[in-house]
Amino acid sequence: MIEFFFDCSSPWTYLAFHNIQPLAKELGAEIVWRPILVGGIFNTVNPSVYAQREKPVPLKARYMKKDLADWARSAGLSIKMPPTVFPVNSVKAMRGCIWLGKDMVPFATALFETYWGEDKDISQDAVLAGICKKVGIDEQKFFAGISEQGIKDQLKANTEEVVARGGFGSPTIFVGKTDMYFGNDRLPLIREALERSKASAA
């Protein structure tokens, strides 16, 4: 089993979200999607992210842009970095993923594409309503659902859980509950972990 803790406000998470699905399918692994708020993680255990944004190292920032473009090209995805609104408030979007439960993947996919590919502000109700329409979700039920206290509590609980288990950003990926990986570029290692698990179960 793969647990995928994610916030759609991260470009590296978009890449990993896209790339892990065919990998899991190929190896017969189930993905449990765990929406989180990455800002909550940064506030709790990784405030250095904010310092890096305020005072970026120019050479490192320039390379990161190239690196992201290389990975996006490899995945066949369009990513604008930075988007016009960055960082974006993804609270409603991630609550939407929680509310949809096992049916969240088309919505989450559209969230990523809308924000990173189309450069639209996914914190805005009108943009979220457009995404609902695109993937066939009743927008009135959606906005009512994401305002439920239980949905808010679950998003907070997921965020606290990933920190308690050692996570410090998005995406944080676990194979078999305890084997943690961070970031899109760890997928070759996740493949190896899944293959080892498959071999030991045979």
Side-chain angles (χ1 to χ4, degrees):
M1 184 185 73
I2 299 166
E3 286 176 280
F4 191 93
F5 287 86
F6 74 103
D7 185 328
C8 62
S9 66
S10 154
W12 302 106
T13 305
Y14 181 18
L15 290 162
F17 178 88
H18 174 85
N19 290 329
I20 203 166
Q21 293 183 63
L23 171 62
K25 190 174 181 183
E26 179 193 335
L27 296 175
E30 179 196 0
I31 302 174
V32 178
W33 303 103
R34 306 292 302 276
I36 56 168
L37 280 180
V38 77
I41 295 178
F42 296 158
N43 292 341
T44 309
V45 293
N46 194 9
S48 65
V49 171
Y50 300 129
Q52 287 168 8
R53 282 180 188 162
E54 281 177 31
K55 290 186 178 177
V57 177
L59 293 176
K60 192 175 177 184
R62 192 166 70 204
Y63 177 73
M64 195 202 87
K65 206 167 180 181
K66 176 202 180 294
D67 194 30
L68 187 59
D70 288 344
W71 278 107
R73 184 170 53 251
S74 174
L77 297 176
S78 171
I79 295 180
K80 181 181 186 255
M81 185 66 191
T84 304
V85 176
F86 182 77
V88 71
N89 183 335
S90 61
V91 173
K92 290 180 180 178
M94 300 319 293
R95 282 181 190 160
C97 290
I98 295 272
W99 177 70
L100 285 160
K102 289 189 175 181
D103 300 322
M104 75 175 77
V105 171
F107 177 75
T109 302
L111 277 175
F112 280 117
E113 290 171 352
T114 301
Y115 183 52
W116 293 107
E118 299 171 25
D119 192 22
K120 292 180 181 171
D121 181 358
I122 55 168
S123 70
Q124 300 300 309
D125 286 357
V127 174
L128 290 170
I131 293 171
C132 286
K133 192 174 181 182
K134 183 179 178 182
V135 297
I137 297 165
D138 183 309
E139 65 183 84
Q140 286 186 316
K141 288 181 182 174
F142 173 85
F143 286 110
I146 65 172
S147 65
E148 291 171 10
Q149 192 58 47
I151 299 298
K152 297 176 182 179
D153 291 345
Q154 187 59 58
L155 184 57
K156 187 170 184 281
N158 284 1
T159 305
E160 290 172 350
E161 180 186 334
V162 75
V163 171
R165 290 169 67 181
F168 50 86
S170 174
T172 298
I173 303 157
F174 288 91
V175 176
K177 286 286 182 189
T178 56
D179 192 12
M180 187 180 96
Y181 298 88
F182 173 68
N184 172 68
D185 54 350
R186 300 305 190 274
L187 289 181
L189 300 179
I190 291 169
R191 172 184 285 279
E192 290 177 12
L194 289 169
E195 286 172 342
R196 282 195 305 273
S197 175
K198 208 172 176 182
S200 65

